[in-house]
Structures are given as C-alpha cells and as structure tokens.
Amino acid sequence: MATFLYKLGRLAFRRRHFVALIWVALLTLAGVGAASAPAAGNTSFSIPGTEAQKAFDLLEQRFPGMSADGATARVVFKAPSGEKMTAAGNKAAVEKTVKELGSGSEVVSVADPYTGHAVSKDGTIAYASVKYKVSGMELEDSTRDALKEAAQHARDAGLTVEVGGDALTATPETGSSEIIGIAVAAVVLVITFGSLLAAGFPLLTAIIGVGIGVSTITALASALDLGSTTSTLASMIGLAVGIDYALFIVSRYRAELAEGRDREDAAGRAVGTAGSAVVFAGLTVVIALVGLSVVNIPMLTKMGVAAAGTVAIAVLIALTLIPALLGYAGRKIKPAGEKSKLLGGGRTPKQPGRPNMGTRWASFVVRRPVAVLLLGVVGLGAAAIPASSLELGLPDDGSQPVSTTQRRAYDLLSEGFGPGFNGPLMIVVDAKGSAHPKAAFTEVGDEIKRLKDVVTVTPAAPNKAGDTATITVIPDSKPSSATTEDLVHAIRDKGADITAKTDAEVLVTGSTAMNIDVSQKLNDALLPYLALVVGLAFLLLIVVFRSILVPLKAALGFLLSVTAALGAVVAVFQWGWLSGLFGVEETGPVMSMMPIFMVGVVFGLAMDYEVFLVTRMREAYVHGEKPNQAVVTGFRYGARVVTAAAVIMMAVFSGFIGSSEAMIKMIGFGLAIAVFFDAFIVRMAIVPAVLALLGKRAWWLPKWLDRALPNVDVEGEGLRTHSGLDEEKELVRV
C-alpha cells in the first residue's frame, strides 16, 4: 500500500492542476445539486420492531384518515391575573383562535377546550389540541406559520398563550461557538507548523471536503428523506477528521523535507507513510459509523452512512488534494523545525539539540511505566463512576430551554393539569380475534384504572368496524420520568393477561411510549454493535500493526476512554455538574442515541490516534530500534502532531456545544471530552506505559498468522527497498 500511495502522492504533486480542477468541479457540482434540489422536509421517524410502531401501523389500517402518527399541537391559554378562562371575553378569544386553528389544509381536527373538558379546575388555564395529517417532521412551513399566527392573535386579545407539541420543530442553531472552534483550530495549526500557509492547507481542504459532503446530503435530502441533524453531524465529524488527516500528511511532508528530500519525493513519501495511516484510520471511522445500521433505526443509519461518506471524502482529499497544494506552495512550506519569517523564522534556537517535549515525556513514561499506567487507569476509572447511574431517554418539551414557547406550554400544562398531561399514553385494543369486543374494551379500561400512577382513563373509542378501539391514559408523572416508564411496562404486563382472557391484543403507543421503546431498542443493540465494530477494527489493526497485543490494548484503552466520557456526560447533563458553564438549562436522562453514537464515533477517532502514533513506533521498531527506544522515537515525531490533532478535534466538537438542539449539544460535549480522555490519557500515557512493559512481546504475531495476513506496509518499508522509485523521471524541482 505504501508504494501505491507513494506513486499517488507524486502523481498528485506533479499533476496538481488536474487534481485541483477535479476537486473544484466536484465541489461545484455538489453545490449546484444542493441549490437546485427540492426543499426537503424534516425526516420521517419510524422504529421498526417496536410495540409503539406496531400500534401506529395498526391504527393506519383500522382507523383510515386518523393519521395516528400525525403531528399534534397544544395551544395553552392562561387568563390574565384575577380572571378565569370562562369569562365571556376570554372564552370568545379562545373560540376565535380554535376556529383559526381548524382552517389549515393539513389539520385533521381541533378540540375546543370548553367542550372537551380541557379547562383546569381553578379555571385559569385551558388548552386546545390540534391534530395534523402528517408528522411534525413533514409539516409545511405555512402550517407552522398559521399555528404561530393564531396563537399571536389570542395574545393580542390579552391572554397568555404558548404552543407545545411536535408540530413546532425547532431548527437547530449552532451559534457563534462553532466559528470559535474553527478559529482555535487555525491557531493550533499555525503554532504547530510555524507557517500561515501550511496551517491554512488543512483548514482549506477540510472545508472543501465538508462542503462537498454536506452539499451532497442536501441535494439528496428529499430523495433519501434526510433531516437537518444528518448534515450537522456529518459536518461536525467531517471537519474534525478532515483537518486531522491533512495535518498528518503536511507534518510528514515537512519531516521528509528536513531529511533532505526533494519536494516531489517528500510529498510521495508523506502520502505513502502518513497516508497509509490515514487510510486505515479512516476505515475504522467508516466501519464504526456504517455499523450504526445494526441498530435498525432508519434515522440513525442515515446519520451514520452520511457521516461515513464525509469521512471517506476527507481521506481522498488528504491523499490527493494535499500533495497537489503542496506542489503549488513550493518553497513556501518550510522543513520541520523551521518557521516562516513572519512567525519568527531564522532565529537561532535558545537550546540547540535539546530533545522535544514528546521525547522527554516518552522517556519519562518508559522509565516509570507502572506508575503512569496506574495513575491513568485510576483517573479514568474515577471519571467513569457517574456512568453507573446512566439513565436513557428521549427529549420532550420539558428539556427545551425556558425561553422557548414549547417549554412554557409544558410548564403551564403541568401547572394546570399535572405533569402527566404532557405525555398521554394511547392504548390500542385489537379485538378482531375476540368473541366479545365491547367487553374486551371495557376490561382493558377497568384494568388500567386499577394501576397506580394513573390519573385519567378515557372511555374506549372504537372504529366503525367495532373491532379496534383507542383509550387515552394520563399518567401521574412527567413523560421522561422512570415512573411513567414503569407504568408503560405495567400496562403491557396487564395486556398479556387480558389477551389470555379475551383474545384481544393490547398495545401501548404515543410519543412517550415510542421514546421508551427507542431507548430500550438502543440499549439492547449497544453490546452487539460494540462487538461488531470492535471486532472488525481489531482484525483491521492486526493487519496494520502485525501484532495481537497492540490491537487488544487499543480496544481496551478505547473502552476506558468512552466509559469515562459517558461518566462526564452523566455528571453534566443528568446530574447538573457545571451545567451552567455548558448552557444546560434542564437536566434529565441522557439522550438514548448518545451512548451508541458516541461508541461508534469515539472508537473511530480513538483508532485514529492509535494508528498515527503507534505506526511511528512500529516503523522505528521494524527499522531496527529496540522496543523502548521505538516508543520514544514514535513520540519524538508523532506526539506534537497528535496533540495538535486532539486539540483541534476538541475545539471543533466543543463548537457544537453552543447548539440549541439538545442532542447536538450533548454529542458535541461528549465527543470533545472523549477526545481529551483518549488522546491525552490513553494514547499519550497508558499506551506507551503498556508498550514499555510488554517490550518485544508487544509486536508478537504467530508465524502462521503472519504468513496468512496481507502485507499492507503501513510503516513504509517498501519505500526503502523498492528499486527504481527514486529514479523516476520528470521530477519537478521547486
């Protein structure tokens, strides 16, 4: 592989005009496609294999036109101080608003508060329920605008009016912190390379890669039913890995220049060595992201595949566009150790010949491996302790910022009717196989009334055929509470008994039950997903490092860092530690998708650092150095670059903490802290300590396996032994 990539790097350097033209054309094509593509609505949401989804599908069959999974809105009214909602003026304003709400083309029904018993006992709060034909993710903007206008008209009449429900789907806003993250990355690159031009290449190529990836997602959004979160996560991951992959190529190029190679040869060798690491690091990220499809949640699968596509583009850009740009830069890119004049180049070093910080740190670790290993493991173990209290759930309006109308509507409903009104449960009774359907409906209602934590059970509402009915249950607790989850399970347990008695099937659905089912599905998929991703990457790393213990150490180190990162997420978003610092306005359960998504992404990124750092050690060992010296050599050349890469990734991910979307905020924080733990504790401390303790055993591989494995030559040995490479003609001297 190193020889092939060497030739590719030299070709891209030599034919730089052609390579640059191809990437500009791809960016233009993707941009035109995004601009001309039909506007996509928000992605639909379905969870195959869950009871809640099964109930929705049944309702579509038995209640034609009901739009069981259609969006809902609750327009909550509060009377002025000292007044009641039953006052003539207030009642007239509400009835006028209800009439306005029912005029939309996507509206199925509107429940009048005065005829539907939706006025609080003290008479100060009332709400109107609006049902739509399509889901909240598919509503037209004009429908949302009409909903907001109707609420504003009621406010103009003197009422306090707030709107909740999934009909108002807020568009995520990342805020200025994302720009700050990119600015921090730029500063780190300038410090690392000592050159504005060299620092600009990774940023430029990463932005081009993300531009192509996100534009392609936008162009295909309508056809493939992709939502806004898909492009946000693709840009987050694509930007981070794009900068890092380019950083490693440019850094190796400067190192090759420092060894006296001409620029084309240096570009080829940079792509042949660091580029090999980029390919395998990118493969681990792609495996981790595409592996999300095993969860069988369409939205998560689309997010993973889209992000994986952006990572693949980042790899291709690093292997081709970076050497092309290096060809354009010529002598403006200085060898390693030299800075541009603008940044202090040409000055005499204060202490010439002094080992760099990476060398000094690695030398310390190999002298004290046991102490460093224990300190790192104990520190991460302490950070992981909160993960034992992990509670999973999906956000509802109660997790929205208090500045939003959804959150204020949620609070008003809780005040007037109790927290359970924000998450009613829908019970679907399928009595098609029952001899006495009406008796079965009554039996279900009576059984549910006897359960604890139930406030209200509405009478059964059968369909025209009389073989299926719906029952609404109002819990005593808020939708995201463990008590409500226990109630859902209790109803399902009772349903099994009822089925045995009456031959009628009882299904629990609604947004609250759907959230509970999603959380359970994700929880059940976590271990199989972890086994699949870690197993495939373990095999890949055996091929890369030609070792059994090094990949095993890499996997165990990942488990430490990801568990510690989950502990930090629980501490901030569930327990509320430092929540104000990170803009967390409401603590609660951790997003159900967070652990499995975090496992996938962090594993890929962790293997990035493992590959980039340890391939340098492997390279030194293969070329004759003793094991401990190879560790020091790997840090001499790789520690500065890996540190810069980690800081850049942390900066990029931290930029998404400013998002208004709870999921994006949590993922941004989780990935940033995970990179910190993995890069600076696992890869920079635990890895060299373990390798120092293992010595030559670290690179042991059974002879039969050594013969069976393909030789991918990540360390670039073929570049030293392959004859004729340095004699290629048409070398471009610059």
Side-chain angles (χ1 to χ4, degrees):
M1 175 176 284
T3 302
F4 169 76
L5 292 178
Y6 171 88
K7 293 179 179 179
L8 178 64
R10 294 189 69 173
L11 179 65
F13 186 98
R14 194 163 52 242
R15 307 298 183 200
R16 46 188 172 272
H17 302 308
F18 180 69
V19 172
L21 183 62
I22 288 177
W23 284 110
V24 170
L26 288 174
L27 179 61
T28 304
L29 184 63
V32 171
S36 59
N42 291 303
T43 184
S44 58
F45 189 78
S46 64
I47 311 295
T50 61
E51 180 173 318
Q53 186 64 49
K54 181 181 177 181
F56 276 136
D57 296 341
L58 182 65
L59 288 172
E60 288 292 334
Q61 297 174 15
R62 306 286 176 84
F63 290 83
M66 179 181 178
S67 301
D69 58 349
T72 58
R74 282 185 169 181
V75 182
V76 187
F77 308 90
K78 185 174 183 180
S81 180
E83 297 184 20
K84 302 284 187 181
M85 288 303 305
T86 50
N90 295 335
K91 187 175 182 180
V94 170
E95 290 175 341
K96 182 179 178 181
T97 303
V98 168
K99 186 176 180 180
E100 285 185 55
L101 291 171
S103 61
S105 60
E106 293 186 308
V107 176
V108 174
S109 63
V110 181
D112 188 307
Y114 301 101
T115 59
H117 307 289
V119 180
S120 62
K121 291 181 179 179
D122 62 5
T124 60
I125 297 174
Y127 69 88
S129 295
V130 187
K131 183 71 176 176
Y132 295 92
K133 296 177 181 178
V134 296
S135 70
M137 298 178 177
E138 299 169 308
L139 279 178
E140 294 180 1
D141 290 338
S142 58
T143 301
R144 292 194 183 93
D145 292 340
L147 176 61
K148 294 174 184 177
E149 288 174 9
Q152 186 57 49
H153 292 160
R155 291 189 189 102
D156 295 340
L159 298 174
T160 298
V161 186
E162 305 296 347
V163 183
D166 59 354
L168 288 184
T169 304
T171 302
E173 298 176 0
T174 55
S176 60
S177 53
E178 182 182 352
I179 306 300
I180 295 173
I182 296 176
V184 171
V187 172
V188 172
L189 287 168
V190 171
I191 294 173
T192 302
F193 291 135
S195 165
L196 292 175
L197 186 62
F201 283 172
L203 282 175
L204 174 62
T205 55
I207 290 171
I208 290 173
V210 169
I212 293 173
V214 172
S215 296
T216 303
I217 291 170
T218 304
L220 298 175
S222 178
L224 300 182
D225 195 23
L226 305 176
S228 58
T229 305
T230 303
S231 58
T232 303
L233 293 174
S235 65
M236 179 196 299
I237 296 167
L239 189 62
V241 300
I243 293 174
D244 276 9
Y245 295 165
L247 166 64
F248 282 102
I249 301 286
V250 175
S251 176
R252 187 59 183 254
Y253 171 75
R254 297 177 72 235
E256 296 293 340
L257 288 180
E259 293 184 8
R261 305 190 190 281
D262 71 80
R263 294 184 178 274
E264 183 177 329
D265 188 47
R269 288 178 179 271
V271 175
T273 52
S276 297
V278 165
V279 169
F280 282 99
L283 274 175
T284 59
V285 180
V286 169
I287 287 172
L289 291 170
V290 174
L292 291 169
S293 59
V294 303
V295 184
N296 195 27
I297 294 180
M299 185 180 75
L300 192 60
T301 299
K302 292 171 186 176
M303 287 164 53
V305 171
T310 308
V311 171
I313 292 171
V315 171
L316 293 174
I317 283 181
L319 298 178
T320 57
L321 186 56
I322 284 293
L325 293 177
L326 292 173
Y328 282 118
R331 296 185 182 278
K332 294 178 182 178
I333 302 295
K334 305 295 181 183
E338 294 185 23
K339 296 182 179 180
S340 64
K341 292 182 179 180
L342 181 63
L343 297 173
R347 299 177 186 172
T348 303
K350 296 179 181 178
Q351 294 178 292
R354 185 187 181 205
N356 63 20
M357 185 174 292
T359 302
R360 297 197 302 273
W361 169 250
S363 299
F364 169 78
V365 173
V366 297
R367 289 196 307 270
R368 302 282 189 274
V370 175
V372 172
L373 178 61
L374 288 176
L375 187 61
V377 171
V378 170
L380 289 177
I385 290 174
S388 62
S389 301
L390 177 67
E391 295 178 8
L392 298 178
L394 287 177
D396 53 31
D397 287 346
S399 62
Q400 296 269 12
V402 292
S403 58
T404 63
T405 186
Q406 294 98 318
R407 172 60 186 278
R408 291 195 293 265
Y410 181 97
D411 292 340
L412 282 176
L413 279 174
S414 296
E415 176 188 340
F417 303 92
F421 268 77
N422 285 293
L425 304 176
M426 179 181 287
I427 313 301
V428 180
V429 185
D430 179 7
K432 197 168 187 178
S434 175
H436 305 285
K438 291 184 178 179
F441 301 153
T442 303
E443 176 75 13
V444 172
D446 292 342
E447 289 290 343
I448 294 176
K449 287 177 183 178
R450 298 189 186 102
L451 296 174
K452 63 178 182 178
D453 301 315
V454 172
V455 174
T456 305
V457 178
T458 64
N463 62 351
K464 290 183 179 179
D467 59 5
T468 308
T470 60
I471 299 172
T472 301
V473 177
I474 305 298
D476 188 39
S477 303
K478 64 181 182 179
S480 59
S481 69
T483 304
T484 300
E485 182 176 350
D486 292 340
L487 176 59
V488 170
H489 292 311
I491 294 173
R492 287 173 173 169
D493 291 341
K494 282 290 182 183
D497 296 336
I498 294 170
T499 301
K501 292 179 184 178
T502 64
D503 294 324
E505 186 177 11
V506 179
L507 303 172
V508 185
T509 190
S511 59
T512 301
M514 179 66 83
N515 289 350
I516 291 170
D517 287 351
V518 170
S519 298
Q520 187 62 49
K521 190 178 181 71
L522 288 165
N523 198 38
D524 293 343
L526 184 57
L527 285 180
Y529 171 72
L530 190 60
L532 173 69
V533 171
V534 174
L536 289 176
F538 180 77
L539 295 176
L540 188 65
L541 292 179
I542 289 178
V543 174
V544 174
F545 296 127
R546 308 196 77 78
S547 164
I548 297 293
L549 296 179
V550 170
L552 180 61
K553 163 201 57 67
L556 294 176
F558 154 73
L559 292 176
L560 268 176
S561 58
V562 78
T563 307
L566 280 175
V569 170
V570 170
V572 173
F573 290 88
Q574 187 175 309
W575 292 359
W577 293 4
L578 302 177
S579 57
L581 178 64
F582 297 104
V584 181
E585 296 188 24
E586 185 72 21
T587 60
V590 172
M591 199 85 56
S592 298
M593 293 185 183
M594 183 66 189
I596 200 162
F597 189 83
M598 193 171 173
V599 164
V601 176
V602 173
F603 184 79
L605 301 182
M607 295 307 102
D608 278 2
Y609 300 121
E610 181 76 14
V611 170
F612 289 133
L613 193 59
V614 180
T615 47
R616 270 292 198 173
M617 301 177 191
R618 169 76 181 171
E619 185 177 341
Y621 178 76
V622 167
H623 294 156
E625 293 188 9
K626 293 182 178 180
N628 280 8
Q629 184 57 42
V631 171
V632 175
T633 299
F635 268 78
R636 178 187 305 133
Y637 293 110
R640 180 183 177 89
V641 181
V642 169
T643 299
V647 172
I648 288 168
M649 276 205 178
M650 289 169 60
V652 172
F653 291 144
S654 296
F656 290 85
I657 297 175
S659 173
S660 62
E661 177 68 36
M663 181 176 178
I664 300 298
K665 180 191 291 286
M666 191 178 293
I667 288 177
F669 171 82
L671 293 182
I673 198 71
V675 167
F676 172 77
F677 287 149
D678 196 85
F680 293 108
I681 299 180
V682 174
R683 309 303 154 188
M684 291 289 188
I686 293 177
V687 165
V690 171
L691 291 177
L693 290 171
L694 291 174
K696 290 185 178 180
R697 294 186 298 273
W699 308 108
W700 171 80
L701 187 70
K703 290 183 180 180
W704 64 268
L705 185 56
D706 187 37
R707 290 191 298 268
L709 292 177
N711 184 13
V712 295
D713 189 23
V714 176
E715 60 273 3
E717 179 64 19
L719 300 184
R720 298 194 178 198
T721 59
H722 192 278
S723 62
L725 287 178
D726 293 329
E727 288 77 32
E728 287 186 58
K729 304 300 181 183
E730 299 180 41
L731 295 184
V732 179
R733 304 289 182 180
V734 291

